[in-house]
């Protein structure tokens, strides 16, 4: 990669070579002049800005000072080989040229004017200063644009998502909640309605179709009073069972299926003592059973 070429000092067309070399030595090794011209320096004091006052004659240089990392307009006395005046290019610096040979700008303490001896040198000086001012302005605008882009990216960036905490039990969906609530409600209402019905009936438990259906794990057992050869004999029954059979109109002439049903019904409804308390209702249900049975056998 080639090294960046160091700028060379711009010479004045009105000075001899020896005078230009003396000027460059006065400027210093860490400085370089980008434009040079022979001028008269005029200043307008703050008290009377409309009146120019001639201060000196010399050589003006547009200097890039590497040691101070800045740019200056400096006026030198080549005979004495010293700088006699300077103005740094600050932010918002404005360089004006009301005449081709006369240029003005606002200094730190007063208005300054350069009256060039050569219009060609004035043009080169103006071009060098304006170019640097444009470069500075372009850098400021680019920096401002980058700042705005960065702010825009920051403002559009989503907020940090908090870290996930320990897993918590998942709540069931609303539909599931509604379903469970409905089931619980139905179960609760069903239990309540059955109790309420039992209370309204004076504590009597009614026989339903489910009650007379075949119970689970059903087994046929031989009951007292049944003889496989002779059949059913009421005399062999217990007194309570005799009373139950008689109350529902059962005589000795009955088949084994009916006898099994009566015994299963008694066992299913709490035994003979519980059935005796509800004899009237039971007798009615048994009669209905016989009626249904007789109809199904037609």
């Amino acid at each position: 990669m080639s090294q960046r070429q160091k700028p060379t000092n711009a010479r004045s067309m009105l000075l001899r070579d020896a005078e230009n070399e003396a000027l460059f030595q006065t400027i210093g090794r860490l400085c370089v002049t980008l434009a040079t011209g022979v001028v008269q320096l005029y200043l307008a004091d703050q008290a009377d800005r409309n009146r120019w006052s001639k201060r000196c004659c010399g050589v003006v240089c547009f200097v890039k000072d590497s040691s101070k990392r800045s740019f200056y307009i400096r006026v030198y006395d080549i005979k004495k080989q010293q700088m006699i005046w300077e103005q740094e290019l600050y932010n918002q610096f404005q360089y004006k040229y009301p005449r081709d040979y006369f240029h003005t700008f606002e200094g730190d303490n007063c208005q300054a004017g350069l009256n060039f001896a050569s219009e060609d040198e004035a043009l080169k000086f103006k071009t060098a200063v304006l170019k640097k001012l444009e470069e500075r302005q372009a850098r400021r605008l680019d920096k401002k644009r980058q700042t705005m882009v960065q702010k825009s990216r920051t403002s559009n960036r989503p907020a940090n998502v908090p870290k996930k905490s320990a897993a918590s039990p998942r709540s069931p969906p609303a539909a599931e909640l509604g379903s469970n609530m409905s089931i619980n409600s139905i179960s609760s209402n069903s239990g309540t309605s059955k109790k309420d019905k039992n209370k309204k009936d004076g504590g009597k438990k009614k026989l339903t179709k489910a009650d007379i259906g075949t119970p689970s794990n059903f087994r046929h057992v031989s009951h007292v009073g049944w003889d496989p050869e002779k059949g059913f004999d009421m005399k062999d029954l217990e007194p309570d069972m005799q009373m139950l059979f008689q109350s529902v109109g059962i005589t000795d002439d009955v088949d084994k299926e009916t006898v099994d049903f009566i015994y299963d019904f008694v066992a299913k409804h709490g035994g003979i003592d519980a059935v005796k308390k509800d004899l009237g209702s039971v007798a009615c249900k048994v009669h209905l059973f016989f009626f249904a049975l007789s109809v199904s056998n037609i």
Side-chain angles (χ1 to χ4, degrees):
M1 184 174 65
S2 60
Q3 295 182 351
R4 186 175 180 181
Q5 187 177 2
K6 182 179 179 180
T8 58
N9 290 306
R11 294 174 173 268
S12 169
M13 297 183 297
L14 302 181
L15 296 178
R16 296 188 296 268
D17 291 341
E19 293 173 330
N20 278 313
E21 293 299 328
L23 174 66
F24 300 153
Q25 290 180 4
T26 304
I27 293 174
R29 292 188 304 107
L30 297 178
C31 297
V32 60
T33 175
L34 304 178
T36 306
V38 177
V39 297
Q40 291 177 329
L41 174 64
Y42 286 84
L43 299 178
D45 296 333
Q46 294 292 339
D48 188 0
R49 296 177 62 89
N50 296 322
R51 184 175 180 179
W52 292 104
S53 175
K54 180 181 174 182
R55 289 301 179 91
C56 63
C57 292
V59 181
V60 64
C61 296
F62 181 46
V63 177
K64 177 183 178 182
D65 192 332
S66 299
S67 62
K68 297 183 178 180
R69 302 175 63 87
S70 187
F71 291 83
Y72 295 82
I73 295 176
R74 290 172 175 170
V75 178
Y76 294 91
D77 185 339
I78 58 174
K79 291 183 178 181
K80 296 180 180 180
Q81 293 188 342
Q82 65 181 16
M83 182 183 66
I84 56 180
W85 186 87
E86 72 171 0
Q87 174 60 52
E88 183 179 10
L89 264 67
Y90 51 82
N91 292 334
Q92 309 302 326
F93 184 90
Q94 293 184 357
Y95 191 82
K96 300 178 182 180
Y97 33 95
R99 298 287 188 273
D100 292 340
Y101 56 87
F102 190 76
H103 302 165
T104 65
F105 50 87
E106 187 73 33
D108 293 334
N109 301 317
C110 61
Q111 187 83 358
L114 299 175
N115 186 23
F116 286 86
S118 169
E119 291 187 4
D120 290 337
E121 289 185 345
L123 177 61
K124 291 179 180 179
F125 200 92
K126 177 187 71 173
T127 301
V129 174
L130 293 180
K131 180 180 178 181
K132 180 53 58 179
L133 293 177
E134 290 174 358
E135 290 176 356
R136 282 188 170 185
Q137 179 67 12
R139 284 198 298 268
R140 284 195 294 266
L141 293 176
D142 186 63
K143 186 176 181 180
K144 184 177 181 180
R145 181 186 61 82
Q146 291 180 1
T147 303
M148 293 178 64
V149 170
Q150 185 65 27
K151 288 182 178 180
S152 177
R153 290 177 180 176
T154 304
S155 61
N156 294 332
R157 186 179 302 168
N160 293 333
V161 179
K163 295 182 179 180
K164 293 184 179 180
S165 57
S168 57
R170 186 176 68 89
S171 301
E176 294 180 11
L177 287 174
S179 176
N180 294 337
M181 291 174 64
S182 300
I183 292 173
N184 294 336
S185 177
I186 292 172
S187 301
S188 176
N189 292 339
S190 299
T192 304
S193 60
K194 287 181 179 179
K195 292 180 181 180
D196 292 342
K197 286 183 179 180
N198 292 338
K199 289 181 180 179
K200 291 179 181 179
D201 293 338
K204 296 180 181 181
K205 187 174 182 179
K206 295 185 178 181
L207 184 67
T208 64
K209 184 177 181 180
D211 296 328
I212 62 177
T214 303
S216 59
N217 300 324
F218 177 82
R219 292 185 303 150
H220 287 284
V221 292
S222 297
H223 303 291
V224 178
W226 177 264
D227 190 308
E229 296 180 357
K230 297 181 181 181
F232 181 70
D233 189 356
M234 290 274 296
K235 296 178 181 179
D236 295 334
L237 293 175
E238 296 177 355
D240 292 332
M241 292 299 294
Q242 287 182 10
M243 184 182 300
L244 175 62
F245 273 71
Q246 291 174 359
S247 65
V248 297
I250 298 177
T251 62
D252 291 342
D253 187 14
V254 68
D255 57 14
K256 184 175 182 299
E257 182 180 359
T258 304
V259 175
D260 288 340
F261 168 76
I262 297 298
Y263 270 91
D264 291 336
F265 179 80
V266 171
K268 192 174 182 180
H269 289 78
I272 188 62
D273 292 335
V275 173
K276 284 167 60 179
K277 296 179 181 179
D278 199 16
L279 187 58
S281 176
V282 172
C284 178
K285 294 299 180 182
V286 173
H287 280 303
L288 290 175
F289 168 75
F290 286 154
F291 175 76
L293 184 63
S294 64
V295 172
S296 63
N297 291 332
I298 295 176

